[in-house]
Every structure is written in C-alpha cells, then in structure tokens.
Amino acid sequence: AQSVTQLDSHVSVSEGTPVLLRCNYSSSYSPSLFWYVQHPNKGLQLLLKYTSAATLVKGINGFEAEFKKSETSFHLTKPSAHMSDAAEYFCVVSARSNDYKLSFGAGTTVTVRA
Amino acid sequence: EAGVVQSPRYKIIEKKQPVAFWCNPISGHNTLYWYLQNLGQGPELLIRYENEEAVDDSQLPKDRFSAERLKGVDSTLKIQPAELGDSAVYLCASSLDRQGQAFFGQGTRLTVV
C-alpha cells in the first residue's frame, strides 16, 4: 500500500520569505514522488518529480524538493515566495508495486501576504 | 500543442438527473484517467484506461457511474442518477503510458441541487 501525508493543511507566508511544504510518504517499494500545483480554476500542473536519480530535485518557478529515504519525506521549498505562488499544492506518490497508480495527499493551501 | 480538454467546465443539475462529462486527451497519449476531487481533498482515481480498455475501475461506483473510451481517444464519464453527494470536481488526465507523467485538464465542477 502507498499513501501520502501532507503535514500542513494551510501555510501563510509573507512575500519574499521562504516557503516550506512538508510531505511524508509510505510506499512498499522504491517510489516516484511528485509535487503538483493547482491554481484556482486551473488544471493541476507538475512542479517537479523524483524518480530515483538525484535526491535534490529542482522544478519550475524556483521550487525544489529533497527526497530523504531515511525520513520518508519529500518536502517542497522555495527561498523567496511570490504573490503568484498562492495556490493549492499536492504531494503525490507512485510505485511499480501499485501499478504506478498516483496517490495524492490532501493538499496544502498557500497564501502569500504582501 | 493543446493540453487535456474537458467540457463542460461547470454543470448544475437537480438530483436524480443524468449528467455526462467529456474529455479529449493529449494526442498520442494511450493512458487516460478520470479523478474525483472533493472540496479540500486530493484527487482520487475513478477509472484508468489503457487505450480503449478499462484496466482499473475498482473505485468507480458502478451502480450509477459509467465511462467509455471509444476508439481509445476521447472519453465520457456519466452519472445516472446524480445524488447530492456527487457534487465535486471531475478531473481528466492523460499520459503516454502508465509510467508517464500525467497531464491534467481543468476539470468539470459539478453541483447537484
């Protein structure tokens, strides 16, 4: 079985300050991990993905995430938040053992204060 | 290149009425997914197609939900009859194959009154 826990349902940051979105996963086999972003009335967009290569993954719009197997974590960070980062973020796990089915976390809502 | 296209974007219906959603995946993508997203939650898989074959429909409530993907391209998802609890966003996604990156449409927001 596989699952994802996003530890914060809501994160509020000031513009220009760092963003940290926390994600823990459970998977019985070597997982692939993803972060998707969903802006209001828009489709889900892939930010970045980890597929057993480098543990530090860089994505679009200045986001990056680090895969830590010992902690079963895949936290998403950005050094400086922009107003346009206000959105819903989903951590997702997939594994061959589960036929590559995507399992989504419940999501983290990010608000950015001016 | 066009992304995954879904229609309609919004739909309001009365309970017990039928409703259908349509999805046009990215050209060349063999795998197509329908997801259900309830408010404040992550998407949950309803059904996955490999070409025209439904390879995973274990989460599809078959008493009222049905789906088809004729000719392995476009797909429709139908609910008959709709219930109040079906109010949600229905997302379609496609990928080259089951291991490939999934690309999502904008979704159809269904409200059942």
Side-chain angles (χ1 to χ4, degrees):
Chain A
Q2 63 187 25
S3 65
V4 168
T5 301
Q6 292 184 241
L7 300 172
D8 307 290
S9 60
H10 187 220
V11 169
S12 180
V13 298
S14 297
E15 190 175 22
T17 65
V19 181
L20 169 64
L21 304 184
R22 298 181 295 166
C23 171
N24 287 118
Y25 69 92
S26 171
S27 178
S28 58
Y29 197 67
S30 298
S32 294
L33 291 155
F34 310 81
W35 277 98
Y36 279 85
V37 61
Q38 187 175 38
H39 288 92
N41 299 315
K42 296 283 184 67
L44 286 156
Q45 181 184 20
L46 182 67
L47 278 178
L48 49 79
K49 62 181 177 181
Y50 165 78
T51 54
S52 75
T55 56
L56 183 61
V57 182
K58 294 188 183 297
I60 61 172
N61 301 334
F63 285 94
E64 64 180 37
E66 186 171 9
F67 174 72
K68 292 186 176 181
K69 185 176 181 179
S70 61
E71 299 177 8
T72 61
S73 69
F74 190 57
H75 301 335
L76 181 70
T77 60
K78 182 173 181 177
S80 177
H82 190 272
M83 297 298 290
S84 61
D85 294 328
E88 187 84 10
Y89 292 78
F90 293 96
C91 184
V92 183
V93 65
S94 169
R96 186 179 68 180
S97 58
N98 204 30
D99 202 22
Y100 301 104
K101 185 179 298 187
L102 299 180
S103 294
F104 284 77
T108 299
T109 302
V110 173
T111 57
V112 182
R113 304 184 302 272
Chain B
E1 178 183 351
V4 176
V5 179
Q6 292 187 246
S7 68
R9 289 291 314 281
Y10 305 92
K11 189 74 175 179
I12 301 175
I13 62 170
E14 294 183 343
K15 62 181 180 181
K16 300 184 181 181
Q17 294 301 305
V19 64
F21 314 126
W22 175 79
C23 173
N24 181 229
I26 293 173
S27 178
H29 281 195
N30 295 321
T31 305
L32 183 145
Y33 315 78
W34 282 103
Y35 285 88
L36 166 68
Q37 185 177 19
N38 286 304
L39 187 64
Q41 298 182 25
E44 298 175 359
L45 182 68
L46 287 172
I47 188 168
R48 181 177 72 183
Y49 283 92
E50 299 288 343
N51 298 303
E52 66 274 9
E53 181 183 0
V55 297
D56 184 354
D57 63 357
S58 57
Q59 300 303 310
L60 189 73
K62 298 180 183 64
D63 56 336
R64 298 184 300 108
F65 286 66
S66 65
E68 61 182 10
R69 191 184 184 196
L70 300 176
K71 301 181 181 179
V73 181
D74 294 0
S75 177
T76 56
L77 178 68
K78 299 178 182 178
I79 308 175
Q80 182 172 13
E83 297 179 351
L84 294 176
D86 296 331
S87 295
V89 175
Y90 292 82
L91 295 167
C92 181
S94 71
S95 59
L96 281 171
D97 53 42
R98 67 178 62 188
Q99 299 181 50
Q101 177 187 336
F103 292 82
F104 286 81
Q106 291 183 284
T108 296
R109 183 177 297 275
L110 173 68
T111 302
V112 182
V113 298

